[in-house]
Structure formats: C-alpha cells, structure tokens
Amino acid sequence: QSVLTQPPSVSGAPGQRVTISCTGSSSNIGAGYDVHWYQQVPGTAPKLLIYGDRYRPSGVSDRFSGSKSGTSASLAITGLQTEDEADYYCQSYDSSLSGSGVFGGGTKLTVL
Amino acid sequence: QVQLQESGPGLVKPSETLSLTCAVSGGSISSYSWGWVRQPAGKGLEWIGHIYNGENTYYSPSLRSRVTMSVDTSKNQLSLRVNSVSAADTAVYYCARLISVAGGDAFDLWGQGTMVTVSS
C-alpha cells in the first residue's frame, strides 16, 4: 500500500472535466513536498505531465492542470479526449522513506 | 536529444542477481541525476532508487538491503543490481532522468523499459 492514495478509476465523457485525487499525509504532501503527475498509456513508459504541483513540461496540453492543498493534490483534465484514456500516477517524497520517492497506486481513466 | 535504453537478461533464476544497464545517449550522464522504477504486470509504479552526482544513492526502504545503483561516466551508463531475487521481482524495469524541483525531484525522461522475469 502506497502512502499516496489515488482512486482506482475515474471516467468521463468526451469534452467533460475530470479530476484525480492524490491523498497523502503530514509526512509527504502535507510536509511541503511537491507532487508530480505522470500519464502512462498501457504498454508504454510513463510521461511527466505535471511537476512541482502545477507546472506543465513543454509540449503538455493546457487541458491538464495540477493543484495542491493541505495533504492532498489533484490533477484536472478538461475537454476530455479519447487519447486521454490512460493510467495516471502521482509522485512525491515522504520523510519516513529516507530520501526515497514514492508513487501513488495509480488511477485508470476511462473515456466513455 | 537525450535518450535512454535499458538492457539486461530477460530471465533470472530465483536467488540470483538481476543486473541491468541503462545507456544514455545524446548527452552526458554527469549532467543529471538518475533513477530506477519498476512495474509488475498489471500493477502500479514502484520507486526503486535514485542517484545524485554519480554517487549519492537513495533506495526504497523495502529494497534497500538488496539493491545497488551506480553510474559509469566512462561508458555513459547507469547500472542496477538486485540481489537474491524472487518471483516478486518480476517486472518491467525503467531507468529515468531526474529533474531538480525545489520541493522534490521528478522523472522527466524515461527509457522504454525492459522486462525481467524471475523463474527457474
């Protein structure tokens, strides 16, 4: 079990907005560690989607946005497209892990 | 641009040592920090460890006793060794580049991954 909790699945229709939560605690997100988000299409390597809670790497669509409050973070996807169907992972650090990073359990996004 | 390519034996026997390398092309390995992540079939990502400045290593507590990471600047490659493997170590193994972020670094570039099966 990861110290970062994500819902196993979310879904939405094309054009809709969905959010994916990443819930942590006072030893990780609540301690001020940044949250990063990755998108993984099945059979391919993960891709960095959001870093530093809310920044998009060059080339990532502005339909993706990140936010953080307290011990939780969220990834929002607006204007859902079929190609957004993928697994999404949050990642941060935890003071109990001696400097190691940690991923959330992942969320499967289905575009209906 | 920088590219990463993992390589190693696809099959390892239980109790033996898993050894992987990650070749970095298009840039100097010394310019960045690096890490390894694995993913069992149908499951999520697991942080194995990362290495800063070519020598400062941080390993997941769950794997620390069995894992060693290193950088060979002469070959521009990253290495991973996992000792005493079992079926639970069967996974796709990714090497990835870390970018510096004030509140904790992120992997901005990933290799394609290499499948490792532990079986007799």
Side-chain angles (χ1 to χ4, degrees):
Chain A
Q1 293 284 61
S2 175
V3 296
L4 301 178
T5 301
Q6 297 181 235
S9 64
V10 298
S11 63
Q16 285 189 334
R17 177 181 186 271
V18 297
T19 61
I20 299 172
S21 61
C22 176
T23 302
S25 68
S26 59
S27 63
N28 42 69
I29 298 175
Y33 290 108
D34 282 354
V35 178
H36 318 301
W37 292 91
Y38 301 85
Q39 177 193 58
Q40 186 181 33
V41 175
T44 69
K47 169 189 172 183
L48 182 63
L49 210 55
I50 297 287
Y51 68 94
D53 300 336
R54 58 190 178 93
Y55 299 98
R56 285 185 305 274
S58 175
V60 172
S61 171
D62 60 5
R63 297 187 299 105
F64 297 91
S65 63
S67 63
K68 186 175 80 176
S69 178
T71 58
S72 295
S74 290
L75 173 71
I77 310 172
T78 58
L80 264 184
Q81 300 179 1
T82 55
E83 58 259 39
D84 297 332
E85 188 159 294
D87 296 316
Y88 293 82
Y89 295 89
C90 61
Q91 177 247 307
S92 187
Y93 289 79
D94 190 289
S95 58
S96 70
L97 299 178
S98 303
S100 175
V102 61
F103 290 97
T107 299
K108 169 67 178 177
L109 168 63
T110 300
V111 181
L112 302 170
Chain B
Q1 70 276 21
V2 178
Q3 293 185 314
L4 312 178
Q5 179 66 60
E6 305 92 344
S7 61
L11 181 64
V12 181
K13 290 182 168 56
S15 81
E16 294 190 346
T17 296
L18 179 166
S19 295
L20 299 176
T21 59
C22 174
V24 178
S25 60
S28 172
I29 197 170
S30 301
S31 299
Y32 292 93
S33 299
W34 307 90
W36 289 91
V37 175
R38 70 181 185 180
Q39 184 174 36
K43 297 188 177 181
L45 303 172
E46 180 182 17
W47 191 292
I48 299 173
H50 57 283
I51 183 166
Y52 286 111
N53 300 320
E55 60 183 13
N56 299 309
T57 53
Y58 298 86
Y59 302 130
S60 168
S62 64
L63 294 168
R64 182 174 297 131
S65 64
R66 298 192 295 125
V67 168
T68 304
M69 293 176 52
S70 62
V71 165
D72 187 334
T73 54
S74 66
K75 296 181 179 179
N76 221 41
Q77 69 182 28
L78 175 67
S79 296
L80 172 72
R81 288 170 58 90
V82 182
N83 301 324
S84 305
V85 299
S86 69
D89 295 307
T90 295
V92 174
Y93 285 74
Y94 295 100
C95 63
R97 184 178 71 181
L98 276 169
I99 55 168
S100 179
V101 182
D105 300 345
F107 290 120
D108 76 321
L109 181 68
W110 296 66
Q112 65 183 30
T114 187
M115 179 67 203
V116 176
T117 301
V118 178
S119 174
S120 56

